[in-house]
Amino acid sequence: MTDSKYFTTTKKGEIFELKAELNSDKKEKKKEAVKKVIASMTVGKDVSALFPDVVNCMQTDNLELKKLVYLYLMNYAKSQPDMAIMAVNTFVKDCEDPNPLIRALAVRTMGCIRVDKITEYLCEPLRKCLKDEDPYVRKTAAVCVAKLHDINAQLVEDQGFLDTLKDLISDSNPMVVANAVAALSEIAESHPNSNLLDLNPQTINKLLTALNECTEWGQIFILDCLANYTPRDDRESQSICERVTPRLSHANSAVVLSAVKVLMKFMEMLPKDLDYYGTLLKKLAPPLVTLLSAEPELQYVALRNINLIVQRRPEILKHEMKVFFVKYNDPIYVKLEKLDIMIRLASQANIAQVLAELKEYATEVDVDFVRKAVRAIGRCAIKVEQSAERCVSTLLDLIQTKVNYVVQEAIVVIKDIFRKYPNKYESVIATLCENLDSLDEPEARAAMIWIVGEYAERIDNADELLESFLEGFHDESTQVQLQLLTAIVKLFLKKPTETQELVQQVLSLATQDSDNPDLRDRGYIYWRLLSTDPVAAKEVVLAEKPLISEETDLIEPTLLEELICHIGTLASVYHKPPSAFVEGSRGVQHKRLPGSAGSGESESPDPGSAAGVTEAPPAVIPSQGDLLGDLLNLDLTPTTTTGPPPPASSGMQMGAMDLLGGGLDSLMGDESEPPPIPLRTDTRQSPRLPHQSPSPPDYSPTELGGDIGGNSAMGAAFGAAPASMPTSFNAPVSGGLDDLFDLGGGVGMPMGALNPPKAVWLPAMKAKGLEISGVFVRRAGVIQMEMTLTNKAMSVMSDFAIQFNRNSFGLAPAGPLQILTPLSPNQSIEAALPLSTVGPVMKMDPLNNLQVAVKNNIDVFYFSCQYPISMLFVEDGKMERQVFLATWKDIPNDNESQFQIKDCHLNSEAASNKLQSSNIFTIAKRTVEGQDMLYQSMKLANGIWVLAELRVQAGNPNYTISLKCRAPEVSQSVFQNYEAVLKN
């Protein structure tokens, strides 16, 4: 009888009987009892009460019984940690058993018991097993180190297990090597900066030797490890590729994909004119094609990976189009993925074949697949210009079938073809108009309306066609309403005399009868344009449109590079980086492909740069969202926090050597950014910019509720490449470049800050009688917002609170707005609000724009103001001279901006003194041909450094200033600050 009998009993009092059986003297009865316990545990019964009795059964020579007891221990040790310690002596004893299977079993089980109290007893047996004579025990112990590291990382480091693990990479047994690599890789993932896998050519050679003799999973571990190595040159890259290529013919698809990942990465370093490069491309195609003969689930994974490979190197599979043709019995998810790859591989050579296939697919029964096939025909037309005519002809044939969803998809893609090839295929418009009545999907209706509006001058009854859509205007989707509004305005601009009533009707529907803020906004803009300047309206609405690009759905290049480094993992199936779906993604390293051969890029640090100066990581600034963004979601209730405000630069000061803008993270909105504050007030008002012109009827508060939100779309990354020095550094002065920094002492400068007058930020007429004027000042390292609040209303104002929207530098109130007494009519009160720079970040335009919400007992009011960027210049912004020189060289030339400061009558000494008052420090000064050159540095509160070269010519009122910074967006604001300080 099989072991299934153990799962069928449901007797009461079973625990008591089991207890007796476990303590039996008969070995067979004991074994039966333990099996019953494990069966009960498996079906979810609580048998933890038997813990001491089961532990007593550990003292046995029977391997099967020992395995069962160990299984029980792993399950219940966490809930019974004190009892689990009873088993430690047996573990230690088993780790010295003559049978290697028992030694390995003991150390594996100890690693799986995640109880802190036991880990310290595990160290000695683990140390012995790591140096055991039997490779099976060593490979088990290697994995155990990774498990122990997960429980207590410090203990593993203190006991020296990591060094032992590194030694195992040189082990004679390939499976030990594979497990050591797997363990080190796992530990390195949770500690990205630990540099545990210190890969060098010698280590790589050992791994490649072990690769041939490992099991398939061992090969995957080693190949994944190889993928993290960056070869020194193309010769080493080729050598590794040659030794990895045989893995492409492995039966296991995971091994094949891991090998493809290694080859795709190392190919980046091979010159394209190398014979071996062409050979490698040919070798990569067959294994990828073979993967498509597996079961559908594996096919899908392979296709998702092939999609990435084709985007990076389409030449690998350019002759394999036929394998991506859809089979009748493919599941829909495989069909859609194949279709996508077909488009990516479409070229002039195979387009006839592809079009014939796609036309066939458009007659299938699966609606989703047919839609995608029709759309694919349009994408082919856009991608391969020579095929456009055949594609349009194919689409017209499909429209003649009169199948509703086929017609609608065809119209959507024909609109895109018109965008790509204007004034070429307009003869088909008549055929499209015949199908107007059958369109019921918003996208198709919007596409048809766009075509009618765009080519209104060629369609005799364009006004009638658009009027037919207008009858059910309020029942249409927003997409159709917006398109209809624009199309009718286009029609009016092309045929003004015939369509005046029509345009008035649509503008009235859009602005007065609609609740949609987008539609109303667009309606008002068109209304104003048409009423104030019809010529400008024509230039705006009928402007020449840019041609659409060939591939609109390509993955962004940097993301594609990262995904290529993750081929064969979930990231390559989701087409998302691991950080997007792995919990605790801070530990996930962003991978990049190495620089291409012959590009001149090098992974090694520049020997000419100053010691200790590291390259800043690429970073991005989130872009500005809608007008007042998240101000509508801010908590404006007064905070109860008291105590002195933190210094303005709190949490932002960078370390001594972080000089090249490594502090960008705080500007760029890193993961530690504080979350938005939840709403606790429902008092809302539609936002307005200061000095806004009179508008058509105001929006009501509810209309703006869900529509205004901060959009944090990503901006461009800052690269960091070596660059040349400013021209003046190369001036022929004796002593050479470095003499500039051998001058004795800096330039002495007195303090005396620029104090602009207060400006009116919130006029009384816009805030129900509350007027706010103010100025930003920096005193003793703290930024303050000094305000005068004046009550010009007839009622008393109280309960003041203030909040800022996300902004470029994370400015936020460091404490509550301290207005302790009510503000009576015609009374003014002064308030100083200390600010910190640790708030949420979002790039604004201009960069120093600050959007503010102020609440009182009457309402919530919004205004925006601009702070001088000098408020962010910190007091420790004076850079060391040698570091200044190295930094200037290191910042790319593209990041240098040059400006003219006109009508300034100060000499260089006076200019230096004035600038120091704004924390702009002169590092050195030199005179070349009567022109004084001041080399200056300043540091923003978020750690960004700005370097400047100011040229002052005696008798010339115009100064020239060159600014260099890793975040060039700040240069314009810094220049404006220079102008304000020097001209004050």
Side-chain angles (χ1 to χ4, degrees), residues 34-196:
V34 173
K35 282 188 176 181
K36 287 178 188 173
V37 171
I38 297 296
S40 300
M41 183 180 86
T42 307
V43 295
K45 288 183 188 171
D46 183 12
V47 284
S48 58
L50 297 169
F51 198 95
D53 306 288
V54 175
V55 169
N56 286 337
C57 298
M58 281 177 79
Q59 308 286 349
T60 176
D61 298 330
N62 186 310
L63 187 60
E64 188 184 0
L65 179 56
K66 202 176 271 289
K67 279 183 178 177
L68 290 168
V69 174
Y70 279 178
L71 187 63
Y72 177 89
L73 268 174
M74 279 191 267
N75 197 47
Y76 282 116
K78 217 169 191 177
S79 58
Q80 308 262 357
D82 295 328
M83 300 289 287
I85 292 178
M86 291 165 51
V88 166
N89 284 336
T90 312
F91 279 132
V92 174
K93 189 177 161 192
D94 283 353
C95 283
E96 294 176 2
D97 194 278
N99 185 341
L101 291 176
I102 289 181
R103 295 203 297 275
L105 181 63
V107 80
R108 177 191 293 132
T109 310
M110 284 178 85
C112 291
I113 296 176
R114 300 176 63 83
V115 176
D116 283 338
K117 291 180 181 177
I118 289 184
T119 49
E120 54 194 270
Y121 298 106
L122 173 60
C123 294
E124 216 40 55
L126 180 58
R127 185 174 283 107
K128 287 178 185 171
C129 288
L130 281 167
K131 294 182 178 170
D132 197 281
E133 59 189 21
D134 191 282
Y136 181 74
V137 180
R138 292 201 301 278
K139 86 177 181 72
T140 309
V143 176
C144 188
V145 173
K147 289 179 178 175
L148 183 59
H149 189 276
D150 194 36
I151 302 166
N152 191 337
Q154 195 58 48
L155 182 70
V156 170
E157 287 166 28
D158 294 346
Q159 294 285 337
F161 289 142
L162 294 179
D163 294 326
T164 315
L165 209 51
K166 287 178 189 175
D167 294 341
L168 288 182
I169 290 181
S170 308
D171 198 277
S172 56
N173 185 287
M175 267 321 296
V176 177
V177 175
N179 278 20
V181 166
L184 283 168
S185 299
E186 184 150 327
I187 294 169
E189 266 183 31
S190 57
H191 292 70
N193 302 319
S194 57
N195 198 24
L196 282 174

Side-chain angles (χ1 to χ4, degrees), residues 200-213:
N200 53 48
Q202 291 73 33
T203 315
I204 293 296
N205 194 39
K206 288 170 190 168
L207 295 182
L208 287 165
T209 306
L211 188 62
N212 300 319
E213 302 166 49

Side-chain angles (χ1 to χ4, degrees), residues 579-623:
S579 55
F581 59 87
V582 176
E583 275 189 38
S585 56
R586 288 185 194 198
V588 177
Q589 282 181 291
H590 293 281
K591 299 183 180 179
R592 289 283 178 269
L593 293 176
S596 311
S599 67
E601 291 178 23
S602 168
E603 297 276 313
S604 59
D606 178 9
S609 64
V613 177
T614 54
E615 184 179 302
V620 288
I621 301 186
S623 66

Side-chain angles (χ1 to χ4, degrees), residues 626-680:
D626 291 323
L627 172 60
L628 275 175
D630 292 345
L631 276 179
L632 294 176
N633 297 324
L634 294 173
D635 175 10
L636 292 169
T637 49
T639 54
T640 54
T641 321
T642 56
S649 54
S650 164
M652 294 296 183
Q653 298 296 344
M654 306 308 296
M657 293 314 296
D658 190 8
L659 301 168
L660 302 186
L664 284 169
D665 287 347
S666 48
L667 173 61
M668 308 316 171
D670 66 355
E671 289 169 310
S672 62
E673 171 182 306
I677 305 164
L679 176 70
R680 277 196 296 214

Side-chain angles (χ1 to χ4, degrees), residues 420-437:
K420 177 71 176 174
Y421 309 109
N423 306 317
K424 205 166 179 187
Y425 301 108
E426 281 70 30
S427 54
V428 306
I429 292 175
T431 313
L432 302 183
C433 291
E434 289 168 14
N435 297 280
L436 211 59
D437 298 336

